Structures are given as C-alpha cells and as structure tokens.
Amino acid sequence: MAVYSKILLAVDLSEESDQLIEKTRTIATNNQAQLTVIHVIEPLSFAYGGDVPMDLTTVQNQLDEHARSKLALFCEKLGYPVESQQVLTGHTESEIHRVAEENGCDLIVVGSHGRHGLALLLGSTANSVLHGAPCDVLAIRIYEPKD
C-alpha cells in the first residue's frame, strides 16, 4: 500500500526549483502516486494594492504565458508522469490549499529557503502552506547559489 497516492508539488519556477526534482520524483515513484504540479502567480494588482490607474491584463497574460512555458520545461525535467500542470493566479497559500483539497492530495511538496531573522518573522510560503493544509506537507530545503 502506498503512503501517498496523490502528490501536489508547488513550485516558484526559480532556478532553485530544480532542487525539488529528485526528491519529488523518488517519493512519487516509490508510492506510484499521481502528481500534480502547480505554480501560483500573485496578481499584479496585489503588488500595487489594487490602486493601479491602468489595465494590467496584457502584462498579466504575458506573465501567465511565460510561467506556462517554464512549468512545461520543469515538468519535462521531472522525468515522472505529471497528471496535471497548472498556472494559477491568486494568493499562493490559498491556491495551494484549494488545489490540494479539490484533488484529494495527501502530500504537498514545497521548497523552503530556510529564512531567518526578519524574513522569518514576515513568514514564508512553506510555513503558510503548512498551517491550514488539508494533508501532510513536505518542505524541502532550497539552497541559494553561492556567489
């Protein structure tokens, strides 16, 4: 019997996201799990507090299209069948929780940058996903490239 049958991998599509590939593939393979991979884009209006005097639809569409291309490449690198890959727009943590619940996922995998100090006080995506998740959460340590 598999421990995890439906896994949700949430990626930020940074270069460091590739660090999630091997562990996610191993867990999915060992459990013969269905794998869903998502990337969440926060709407540009969130960044500007909703008070933007212009239409950002075109820019948002370009961001979405670019993210779809990067996500497709990421999924190819995974080397594991991906049941669904999605680029979503909204609050990152809320969208991850929603997709996990809708798909009946029993594991969410996210990267954790291991922030400390002020960044820790402000919270991280991995920490926010953990609190309120409908299932287990695996936060894989992401190492920043050394200059």
Side-chain angles (χ1 to χ4, degrees):
M1 181 179 98
V3 175
Y4 298 113
S5 60
K6 294 185 178 185
I7 299 172
L8 172 62
L9 171 59
V11 295
D12 66 6
L13 296 176
S14 65
E15 289 183 22
E16 291 83 19
S17 293
D18 286 357
Q19 294 176 40
L20 303 173
I21 289 175
E22 186 177 336
K23 288 179 182 176
T24 301
R25 180 177 49 233
T26 300
I27 293 167
T29 300
N30 289 345
N31 289 278
Q32 299 177 340
Q34 292 179 359
L35 181 62
T36 298
V37 183
I38 66 169
H39 172 69
V40 182
I41 299 173
E42 300 243 347
L44 290 173
S45 60
F46 286 5
Y48 296 103
D51 292 333
V52 181
M54 64 179 140
D55 184 10
L56 298 172
T57 306
T58 303
V59 176
Q60 190 75 53
N61 289 340
Q62 289 172 342
L63 288 172
D64 290 353
E65 195 53 44
H66 180 68
R68 283 185 221 299
S69 298
K70 285 187 76 170
L71 187 61
L73 290 172
F74 178 86
C75 288
E76 283 180 33
K77 289 183 203 175
L78 263 171
Y80 187 87
V82 175
E83 182 89 8
S84 172
Q85 55 182 289
Q86 304 170 36
V87 173
L88 307 166
T89 302
H91 286 290
T92 304
E93 300 81 11
S94 300
E95 289 301 307
I96 292 170
H97 291 157
R98 182 184 63 77
V99 171
E101 196 163 319
E102 285 178 3
N103 291 324
C105 294
D106 38 29
L107 177 66
I108 298 170
V109 178
V110 294
S112 174
H113 293 273
R115 297 192 183 1
H116 40 77
L118 185 59
L120 180 61
L121 290 175
L122 296 174
S124 69
T125 299
N127 187 47
S128 298
V129 169
L130 177 62
H131 299 287
C135 59
D136 291 350
V137 176
L138 172 61
I140 297 175
R141 172 78 63 190
I142 299 291
Y143 295 96
E144 304 294 330
K146 300 202 172 155
D147 295 329

